[in-house]
């Protein structure tokens, strides 16, 4: 899986997830990596498909793992990229209703619980790797383990 943190000044591109895993939550654009595709290429593609924006010069900022012991089918690994350069017009899709959100006003109460542990740190310039274990309710983080991103 991949995620794109696209910045525009003091804003972050977010959207309401309309379908699939996480529907109803506020998320950044992203999704599945197709066979033969790199996570970066997937993040650029998914962002374009979900928002109409073409991303340029993205860099890896986090590698995260998520465990859902009550729903192991939800376990996933995520590579997170960030960029401040893009072209195109912001356009909703069938998957995401996107908008530019002030970083100082992130709607954490509508996002995945893990975001409160790592998102502000990454937006502040840290590069992280980590693992999150969700509680049996599949809503709250039971355990979080974050470290600086290994350069390898």
């Amino acid at each position: 899986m991949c995620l794109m943190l696209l910045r525009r000044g003091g804003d972050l591109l977010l959207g309401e997830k309309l379908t699939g895993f996480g529907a109803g939550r506020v998320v950044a654009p992203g999704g599945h990596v197709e066979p033969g595709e790199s996570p970066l290429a997937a993040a650029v593609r998914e962002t374009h498909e979900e928002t109409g924006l073409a991303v340029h010069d993205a860099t890896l900022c986090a590698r995260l793992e998520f465990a859902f012991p009550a729903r192991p089918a939800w376990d996933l690994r995520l590579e997170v990229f960030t960029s401040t350069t893009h072209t195109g017009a912001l356009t909703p899709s069938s998957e995401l209703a996107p908008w530019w959100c002030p970083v100082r006003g992130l709607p954490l109460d509508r996002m995945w619980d893990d975001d409160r542990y790592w998102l502000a740190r990454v937006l502040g310039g840290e590069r992280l790797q980590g693992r999150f274990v969700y509680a049996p309710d599949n809503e709250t983080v039971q355990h979080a383990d974050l470290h600086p991103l290994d350069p390898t």
Side-chain angles (χ1 to χ4, degrees), residues 69 113 117 132-136 140-144:
D113 190 45
Y117 293 87
F132 299 90
V133 178
Y134 271 77
T140 54
V141 170
Q142 186 172 30
H143 177 75

Side-chain angles (χ1 to χ4, degrees), residues 54-129:
V55 175
H56 311 285
D57 301 323
T59 58
L60 179 68
C61 60
R63 283 194 176 107
L64 306 173
E65 293 182 33
F66 304 91
F68 293 85
R71 292 209 58 183
W74 287 7
D75 291 0
L76 62 97
R77 290 184 177 177
L78 182 68
E79 293 207 18
V80 184
F81 299 89
T82 188
S83 178
T84 57
T85 56
H86 67 278
T87 54
L90 190 59
T91 307
S93 69
S94 62
E95 292 182 64
L96 193 70
W99 75 90
W100 292 103
C101 180
V103 169
R104 293 182 187 255
L106 296 175
L108 291 172
D109 60 326
R110 296 184 58 210
M111 300 171 79
W112 285 99
D113 190 45
D114 59 85
D115 289 335
R116 69 184 71 248
Y117 293 87
W118 66 270
L119 184 56
R121 291 176 63 181
V122 167
L123 294 174
E126 288 186 63
R127 293 170 37 92
L128 298 173
Q129 61 187 31

